[in-house]
Each structure stands twice: as C-alpha cells, then as structure tokens.
Amino acid sequence: MDRQLQATLGEVARDHTATDHHASPMSLAARSNGHPSPNLLTRDDRWSASVIRDLLVHARAEDIISLAGGLPATEMLPAERLSATAAQVLLDPSAAQYGPSAGEPALREALALDLSRPEEPVDPNDLVITTGSQQALDLVVRSLSRPGDTVCIEDPGYIGAVQTMRASQMHLHGVPVDAEGMSIDALEAAIADGAAPQLCYVNPNFQNPTGAVLSPERATRLVELAERHEFFVIADDPYRALSFSGAAPVDLPPSPHVIRLGSMSKTLSPGLRVGWLHAHPDVIERVTLAKQGADLHTPTLNQLIVASLMSDTPWWNAHLASLRASYGQRRDVLLHAVRTHLPQATVRVPEGGFFLWLDDLGVDLAAALDAGVAFVPGHAFAINSDLSLSARLSFSSAPLDQIDTALRRLATVAS
C-alpha cells in the first residue's frame, strides 16, 4: 500500500482514539499555506471529524478492500428507474420551483401511508421532509435542547449522532447496548443517579454499529421512562425496511415524547438526500421553523421523484424485497468469512441492516490498512466504553468476490 496513504489513515485512526475531542485551541493558520486566518477562526471543539467519512476518502485506493462505510451497493441503486422518473416528474414545471418547508404534500402522504399501521395511522401533517435524516437529527437537537443539556445515547453509538450532539455542546451519557438494544435498566439507573436527559437517542432497528434490535418490551419501558421523566426519545431508523426475513420493524409506542427519523438513503438513493421526521404537532411546528432558517426546503425535484416511486406500490415492494435478499446474502458471505478466518472473534449476527459487529478482534487499523483492508475500529463508536478490541465491518457495498480475500488479509495481522 502507498506509504503516504498509510500514514494518512494511521493519523485518522490515532485522531479518533479518544472519545472526547478537547484539544487545545489552535489557529487554522498552521494549515493555511502561510496565509494567516482571522482571529475568530480558532479551533472550535464543537466540530469533530468522522472517522468513517475520513476513511471513505482514502479507502478508494485500488489496493484497499473497504469494509468501512455503510454505503448501499452501487448495483442496487435503481439508476434507470430514477432517471426515467426524474424525466417524467420534470414535465411538470412545479418540480423545478420552491416548495413548502415541511415538504411536498405528495411525499408526506406517501410516507404517511407507508408508516401507518391499523392501530396507529400517521397524519401527513405530522411529517417534515428533511435533507437526509442527518438534517432531521440536527434540527431536532437544535430545536429541543440547549448547550449543556444531557443526551443519553447508545454505547457504542452512531458516529453521526455523536458529532451532532457535540456540535450542540450537549453532555453525552453512554448507555450500554446488548442483543436487545439499549439497556433500559442502565438508562433507568443513570437517571436515578442524576443524569436527567433532555434527549435519548436510539436506533431501534438494526442499530449502527452493532445490528441490535430494540426489543418490544424495552421499547415500551423506554417510552414510559420518557413520559415519567419528561425527555424526548429520538428513534433514528434508517434500516427499518431492511429486515432480511421481511419481519415488521419494531416501533416505539405512540407518544408526544417520541420523535421518529428515517431516510431514503439506504433503500433508494443517498444522492437524493431525502429524509423525514415524524413527531407531535408542537415539535413539527418548531422543527419546520428551524428548517426555514437552514435551507428553506428539501429539493422539490428529489421529493417528487421519491413520491412517484413510493406510489408505484408493486415496484416499491419488489425493490425492497430485492434489497433484503441481496444484503442478506452479503451478510451471510461476510459472516462465513469471519468465522473461517477469524474464529477468535465474537460476532453479533444481525437480522438486517448493513453491519457486522465484532468483539475480541485484536486487529490494529493501521496494520489492516497496510494489509489492504479498511474497517471502522470500535473506539470510533465509543462514548464511555473501552472498545479497543472491537470493530464494525460493513457488508453492504464490498464486492462479493472480494469479501473472503479481505478477511484472509485481516487474519494475517490479527493478534
């Protein structure tokens, strides 16, 4: 592997060893090619890099097999159908116009129908369409919390959520995750000890990074705690449609304290940047005002493309079934390779999503990169836990015929 690339990626790994990013203030002038920066552009510890985003930039080298990023497989993106739908949608000039901040009515109605259950219908007016679910998360955090507030978050937890919470200067309290999702016993104990969260962040289905599913019993207890102690639960659910068995996703019980987020990035196209938020009308009103100040509205064309595709129910259902079959096969291939070449690792077997979580791995990222494999080390997801022997491997986008080779390479540098 190119030595300059190795050095860069090694630096990425070292930069993310600590779970807090409180380096001393440093002027950006040191990195400005000799041009001094304005005094106000000093180091701001609210903003920290994502090890995954950094790895993705460099892991495209020809000699690296990447198991790092949670990207959809390129061949599973319905490019031809997207192109044809875009051309059809653009026949209506309104697709190229400004739109309402809360989102296009056609998409809100399609999503409401998709999310509704007989016992719990979803009102389209209780949805906001966002520029990806990451924006939805950012809008919720900025609308409903203040600097210094506590957020309870899964440990290990989603890096994008950690970035958003730290940027808003929230205090992060990690809550352990096991096979049934966030430990509600541990959350309850933390609250009893004075944690007093304003927000609690969970991935209820196929958690990133462990693949865990929140059990229905824990989902009920979590909402009961939120109502008793008056905090909001953010249920971020980008993988809800990707159950390999086709089983119905776990949904938290309806409550004014529950805010649901979702995305079309894993099921349709990340390039469209279409996400959604479902919440109580008071939350929707506040988030809509925040979105007006952020970007006015999510691109009209993109929203109408998604609405058109979702409204073609036979195509949409067949597309989701194809995704589940393909990603289930990829999970099985990676799982077999891990068990064959890294038998010492403890593997959590996911029933959906994009990731395998490994404990007791003992593979250094820099050594793995030198061997030609990229993955995300466990410490990148750590809030309080020691995850130095853990790792997240993504099966979603690596070529099937390269997965076994990648694990053979990892085995050569495993301790």
Side-chain angles (χ1 to χ4, degrees):
M1 182 178 75
D2 179 81
R3 288 290 157 185
Q4 184 176 0
L5 174 60
Q6 180 186 359
T8 302
L9 288 172
E11 201 62 40
V12 168
R14 287 189 291 275
D15 284 348
H16 290 79
T17 299
T19 58
D20 279 314
H21 302 272
H22 296 301
S24 59
M26 179 186 72
S27 171
L28 295 180
R31 296 183 276 113
S32 63
N33 298 321
H35 299 287
S37 68
N39 289 335
L40 63 122
L41 291 180
T42 54
R43 175 68 176 266
D44 188 335
D45 291 333
R46 291 176 300 168
W47 313 108
S48 58
S50 162
V51 64
I52 301 176
R53 305 296 312 176
D54 290 344
L55 277 169
L56 288 178
V57 172
H58 301 287
R60 294 181 178 182
E62 292 183 1
D63 57 348
I64 298 258
I65 301 173
S66 178
L67 303 176
L71 287 70
T74 300
E75 61 269 28
M76 298 307 296
L77 301 176
E80 291 186 7
R81 183 64 190 260
L82 286 168
S83 177
T85 303
Q88 184 66 34
V89 167
L90 277 169
L91 292 176
D92 183 347
S94 67
Q97 260 296 3
Y98 285 110
S101 294
E104 288 298 314
L107 180 53
R108 295 167 82 190
E109 289 168 7
L111 277 168
L113 184 63
D114 187 66
L115 294 171
S116 291
R117 297 188 296 181
E119 68 277 16
E120 186 189 345
V122 171
D123 186 335
N125 293 316
D126 294 340
L127 287 162
V128 172
I129 308 303
T130 58
T131 308
S133 62
Q134 188 70 19
Q135 186 193 51
L137 175 60
D138 180 64
L139 294 174
V140 168
V141 171
R142 289 196 287 116
S143 299
L144 300 180
S145 68
R146 295 180 174 85
D149 282 349
T150 294
V151 56
C152 289
I153 185 170
E154 296 157 319
D155 189 6
Y158 169 52
I159 291 174
V162 172
Q163 284 184 292
T164 298
M165 309 301 184
R166 285 191 171 131
S168 294
Q169 298 179 290
M170 300 192 75
H171 171 69
L172 274 64
H173 185 96
V175 182
V177 174
D178 60 25
E180 295 184 50
M182 175 181 278
S183 169
I184 307 304
D185 286 343
L187 174 62
E188 193 165 17
I191 294 172
D193 287 343
Q198 172 68 10
L199 304 174
C200 180
Y201 176 89
V202 295
N203 294 151
N205 292 283
F206 318 119
Q207 191 249 1
N208 183 358
T210 68
V213 175
L214 188 68
S215 70
E217 186 252 338
R218 290 190 184 185
T220 299
R221 287 183 60 201
L222 176 57
V223 174
E224 289 172 350
L225 273 180
E227 293 176 343
R228 188 184 318 145
H229 296 281
E230 298 191 328
F231 60 85
F232 288 101
V233 177
I234 303 174
D236 193 358
D237 213 3
Y239 306 100
R240 60 180 285 112
L242 295 180
S243 165
F244 301 147
S245 67
V250 172
D251 284 320
L252 275 65
S255 167
H257 292 261
V258 174
I259 301 166
R260 301 164 68 191
L261 313 183
S263 172
M264 307 309 295
S265 293
K266 306 304 188 290
T267 54
L268 191 55
S269 165
L272 289 174
R273 306 307 305 135
V274 173
W276 53 266
L277 179 152
H278 174 236
H280 185 274
D282 289 346
V283 174
I284 292 297
E285 180 180 9
R286 187 174 292 191
V287 167
T288 302
L289 291 174
K291 184 166 175 61
Q292 289 175 6
D295 65 356
L296 300 183
H297 67 95
T298 298
T300 306
L301 173 61
N302 298 12
Q303 292 187 64
L304 293 178
I305 290 171
V306 175
S308 177
L309 292 173
M310 291 188 71
S311 298
D312 185 348
T313 305
W315 180 87
W316 181 241
N317 289 339
H319 174 66
L320 292 179
S322 177
L323 294 181
R324 294 173 187 130
S326 176
Y327 292 129
Q329 179 189 18
R330 291 167 182 274
R331 186 272 317 262
D332 292 343
V333 170
L334 179 58
L335 182 61
H336 176 76
V338 167
R339 287 173 169 168
T340 300
H341 302 297
L342 295 171
Q344 76 276 19
T346 303
V347 187
R348 300 192 192 184
V349 183
E351 295 302 320
F354 278 5
F355 310 112
L356 280 188
W357 181 256
L358 276 61
D359 293 310
D360 307 313
L361 179 59
V363 175
D364 177 70
L365 175 58
L369 292 166
D370 196 36
V373 182
F375 66 91
V376 186
H379 63 66
F381 305 96
I383 311 302
N384 307 116
S385 303
D386 177 8
L387 299 173
S388 56
L389 296 180
S390 301
R392 192 196 76 178
L393 306 185
S394 173
F395 51 78
S396 61
S397 59
L400 275 174
D401 60 358
Q402 294 184 20
I403 289 177
D404 190 75
T405 301
L407 270 294
R408 287 179 185 272
R409 291 179 182 180
L410 282 181
T412 66
V413 294
S415 59

